[in-house]
Amino acid sequence: MQALKGTANYQVIKIHGSDVTRTEEPVVEEIPLTIYLNDSELVTMLAAAGEEEYLVTGFLATEGIIQTVADIKTLDINTAQGVIQVTTVSGETAAEKKFLKRYLTACCGKGRSAFYFVNDVLTAKPISNVVTITPAEAMRYSELLEAASETFRLTGGVHGGALATAGELVCWSQDIGRHNVFDKLYGRCLVEGISTHDKVLVFSGRVSSEILLKVSKMNIAVIIARSAPTSLALDMAEELGVTVIGFARGERLNIYSHPERVSGVLPPEEQAGNLVSGGEASGAQKSTDT
């Protein structure tokens, strides 16, 4: 079997009942990528090969280090050495200095505390986009994402994610890291000028609080996941105005937050009222289009 780009064939012994066979199977390649920002080492990421420009651009944007691709002066990628050199137009930024610093905040009015990174507090955006979706569309997007991921079918070793609208996937990506999928998608949107405010995001994995924050930073109102959300993610979703749909498989799904964006779920008067308000968090700033 010929491996896809970004995979390598490995010898494997397979056992099925009493049958033992030797064969080759593709395994997804994992590579370390160290980002040097303005001549200082920032972070080492573990990722699947490919779309490195999108990955780095999206990562820097979600961390608040850049706002647009115009903020990047140079971006040099050396995958052989696993090194990515980035310089920004403005030089060292406040967000760069605060990278990976923790911030303790009250969680979503529920009387408990939660840790955020400082840059999350600065860049997470409440979402008020008037986006609607039908249950049938959500199920279709989940099926389209599954059909698009040939690497997952061969290796079972990657997560996949896509932006979707009007019944079709607009763009999609895959990676060994859940967070990397979102950074690659966001980076592609920034580089190629793809708007996110009118799209929904469909994802293969579970929705954790970190994933929910990525969705908020991308200015996306609806995430459709094939797996489960976590409690903290749902608390954040309520506060940030994000519709979370989980377990979207076959002909079933669960709607966990802001159901007003899913047609036919709420009574008409309740759905219309909620869409007008947009689920904005009190006292929070409105999000801006990507």
Side-chain angles (χ1 to χ4, degrees):
M1 179 187 299
Q2 184 177 2
L4 292 176
K5 182 179 179 181
T7 66
N9 286 334
Y10 279 76
Q11 293 289 327
V12 61
I13 297 173
K14 304 188 75 170
I15 298 175
H16 187 180
S18 59
D19 295 332
V20 179
T21 57
R22 291 179 179 270
T23 185
E24 275 193 347
E25 287 210 343
V27 174
V28 64
E29 292 182 307
E30 179 179 11
I31 60 173
L33 295 170
T34 299
I35 300 175
Y36 288 87
L37 180 63
N38 298 317
D39 297 323
S40 296
E41 183 175 339
L42 181 68
V43 68
T44 295
M45 312 171 75
L46 298 174
E51 299 184 312
E52 288 83 7
E53 179 187 4
Y54 296 152
L55 174 64
V56 175
T57 302
F59 173 77
L60 295 178
T62 57
E63 290 300 324
I65 294 171
I66 65 168
Q67 302 300 315
T68 72
V69 291
D71 295 329
I72 298 176
K73 184 177 181 180
T74 62
L75 196 163
D76 298 315
I77 300 170
N78 188 327
T79 53
Q81 295 183 3
V83 171
I84 300 177
Q85 299 276 0
V86 182
T87 60
T88 54
V89 173
S90 60
E92 188 178 52
T93 65
E96 182 180 342
K97 295 177 183 178
K98 293 173 181 176
F99 177 64
L100 292 185
K101 294 188 183 298
R102 288 294 202 175
Y103 179 87
L104 183 65
T105 180
C107 177
C108 316
K110 291 186 175 289
R112 65 174 184 263
S113 295
F115 276 114
Y116 294 75
F117 290 114
V118 172
N119 285 350
D120 290 336
V121 178
L122 297 174
T123 57
K125 310 176 227 181
I127 306 300
S128 58
N129 303 343
V130 182
V131 174
T132 57
I133 186 173
T134 66
E137 285 175 322
M139 295 170 193
R140 171 174 168 78
Y141 293 146
S142 181
E143 291 173 356
L144 288 174
L145 178 64
E146 185 178 19
S149 186
E150 185 177 358
T151 302
F152 177 80
R153 288 195 299 276
L154 285 175
T155 68
V158 293
H159 290 286
L163 294 184
T165 189
E168 301 295 337
L169 301 186
V170 176
C171 59
W172 74 284
S173 188
Q174 61 186 9
D175 201 278
I176 59 168
R178 295 176 298 131
H179 309 86
N180 296 348
V181 171
F182 288 78
D183 288 337
K184 285 182 175 180
L185 285 171
Y186 194 30
R188 179 171 180 176
C189 290
L190 292 171
V191 171
E192 298 184 3
I194 300 171
S195 175
T196 59
H197 83 284
D198 58 345
K199 310 295 190 303
V200 302
L201 199 150
V202 57
F203 179 51
S204 64
R206 75 178 187 277
V207 181
S208 66
S209 59
E210 294 167 305
I211 293 301
L212 197 283
L213 286 170
K214 292 277 189 185
V215 174
S216 167
K217 293 174 184 182
M218 293 172 70
N219 191 23
I220 290 176
V222 180
I223 179 169
I224 304 159
R226 293 180 58 82
S227 190
T230 67
S231 62
L232 184 54
L234 295 182
D235 292 344
M236 289 180 175
E238 287 292 347
E239 182 177 355
L240 293 171
V242 178
T243 299
V244 176
I245 299 173
F247 293 109
R249 306 174 187 175
E251 296 183 352
R252 68 184 181 96
L253 53 78
N254 294 345
I255 305 168
Y256 291 93
S257 61
H258 292 280
E260 65 274 7
R261 294 194 181 94
V262 185
S263 301
V265 174
L266 299 178
E269 63 278 5
E270 186 177 349
Q271 181 151 352
N274 283 332
L275 279 173
V276 169
S277 65
E280 279 190 61
S282 61
Q285 292 182 332
K286 283 190 177 182
S287 60
T288 55
D289 189 14
T290 297

